[in-house]
Amino acid sequence: MSTAGLETELRTAAARLRDQRGTKGRVDSDSRELLEMIRILLALREPLARWLEEQAQYVAASGMYDVLAVDVARVINGTGEPGPGQDGHITDRHSGPGLYEQLKRLDGGGGR
């Protein structure tokens, strides 16, 4: 990948971390460890975004890059919503779409 492509990947990951849309909500879990990990990751968002921006500037200025920074950016940019049954799938039980899915299941899965 070109240095311009790496710079874009790093900046995109930083922007994705800073994007606050849809980040307000509740997490319902009986796992204290999971809740602690979520708190840690949320606290890391801004410092990690700043680091990725610095790495993008470094790539732009020197043409060299930190392999770890690129790996982190690729994980952030490549993380999408896993489907049901896949690791990391999130069951939404509280928003409109989540409630609609519950109603469909209660109705036998189909409309009349």
Side-chain angles (χ1 to χ4, degrees):
M1 181 179 280
S2 70
T3 56
L6 292 173
E7 180 185 359
T8 299
E9 183 134 22
L10 291 161
R11 290 189 192 282
T12 299
R16 189 165 182 204
L17 287 172
R18 287 186 171 126
D19 185 2
Q20 295 289 321
R21 291 176 294 168
T23 59
K24 303 293 183 219
R26 297 183 329 183
V27 176
D28 181 10
S29 175
D30 57 359
S31 170
R32 184 170 179 80
E33 292 80 11
L34 176 61
L35 295 172
E36 182 67 22
M37 184 57 61
I38 291 169
R39 275 193 294 274
I40 290 167
L41 292 171
L42 288 172
L44 279 171
R45 285 173 73 176
E46 184 53 34
L48 187 55
R50 279 196 316 268
W51 178 67
L52 290 167
E53 282 287 343
E54 290 170 3
Q55 293 301 312
Q57 291 171 0
Y58 178 71
V59 168
S62 70
M64 298 171 53
Y65 63 93
D66 181 324
V67 174
L68 177 60
V70 173
D71 287 347
V72 168
R74 287 183 176 154
V75 167
I76 292 167
N77 293 334
T79 302
E81 174 98 21
Q86 294 179 317
D87 286 345
H89 176 71
I90 298 170
T91 302
D92 178 359
R93 297 187 311 245
H94 301 289
S95 71
L99 294 173
Y100 177 72
E101 289 300 318
Q102 285 181 17
L103 288 172
K104 280 186 2 186
R105 282 193 300 277
L106 290 173
D107 186 39
R112 296 188 207 282

